[in-house]
Amino acid sequence: MQPFFERHSLHFSCTACGKCCATAGEYYVFLGAGEAEAIREQLGLSKSWFRRRYLDRLEEGVLVLATGQDERCIFLDSDGRCSIYTARPLQCRTYPFWPELVGSQRAWQREAARCEGINRGARVPRQTIRKALKACTEQEG
Ligand code: SF4
Ligand code: SF4
């Protein structure tokens, strides 16, 4: 069977509520090749300081963004905005068009409980979703 987004129109409009950047200890923001360096360059920090302050490594050695106060992404500012917006990782840029979210109606509707932008606003062109999925798959690659 085709994935859910190919069979139904998905609507999405981000309200900038910032909830998807509050990990609540449930998930991580993973970094693909070159993404940590792009953020570091944008911030203009030394490699060692950036690594200590903004990155974490999971037990299996995988690189993720550090978590800040109240289990929020360390780059979420006090106004609920991303402070590295133009260099934010692919995981953030493609949300909520992740394979595990757009593949089934159940997953999509469950995510809507967390993200108030889901099921809001205009229909998202399927091509946009396909592009996001392709980028996610290539990064996992
Ligand atoms: S939770 Fe959804 S609506 Fe809120 S900032 Fe994230 S993507 Fe936008
Ligand atoms: S990098 Fe920016 S968009 Fe991504 S989780 Fe952190 S604050 Fe949110």
Side-chain angles (χ1 to χ4, degrees):
M1 193 171 35
Q2 283 189 315
F4 176 61
F5 81 93
E6 295 283 13
R7 293 178 277 121
H8 295 267
S9 296
L10 301 190
H11 291 249
F12 173 69
S13 175
C14 180
T15 64
C17 72
K19 270 194 204 156
C20 58
C21 308
T23 63
E26 290 174 10
Y27 65 93
Y28 298 98
V29 180
F30 293 93
L31 295 163
E35 291 189 322
E37 185 58 16
I39 298 168
R40 186 191 73 78
E41 274 182 11
Q42 179 169 311
L43 296 173
L45 297 173
S46 72
K47 286 189 180 181
S48 57
W49 175 250
F50 175 67
R51 208 167 36 233
R52 272 204 305 276
R53 175 88 175 81
Y54 294 106
L55 302 181
D56 269 335
R57 268 199 197 276
L58 304 183
E59 276 180 21
E60 53 278 27
V62 176
L63 203 58
V64 295
L65 289 186
T67 304
Q69 281 187 329
D70 305 324
E71 304 285 3
R72 292 152 55 101
C73 174
I74 196 147
F75 291 118
L76 189 64
D77 70 18
S78 53
D79 295 327
R81 305 280 164 155
C82 176
S83 58
I84 54 157
Y85 191 77
T86 55
R88 69 200 189 285
L90 180 72
Q91 178 176 330
C92 309
R93 282 187 277 125
T94 54
Y95 181 81
F97 306 118
W98 296 347
E100 63 269 37
L101 299 184
V102 299
S104 76
Q105 182 170 21
R106 192 171 170 191
W108 182 250
Q109 297 305 349
R110 198 174 45 219
E111 193 66 13
R114 184 161 78 108
C115 168
E116 65 185 24
I118 289 179
N119 298 329
R120 180 190 287 259
R123 184 182 78 81
V124 181
R126 286 206 174 85
Q127 198 48 35
T128 301
I129 301 173
R130 289 185 197 123
K131 214 170 141 189
L133 295 179
K134 186 165 179 278
C136 291
T137 309
E138 282 172 359
Q139 188 177 71
E140 280 170 14

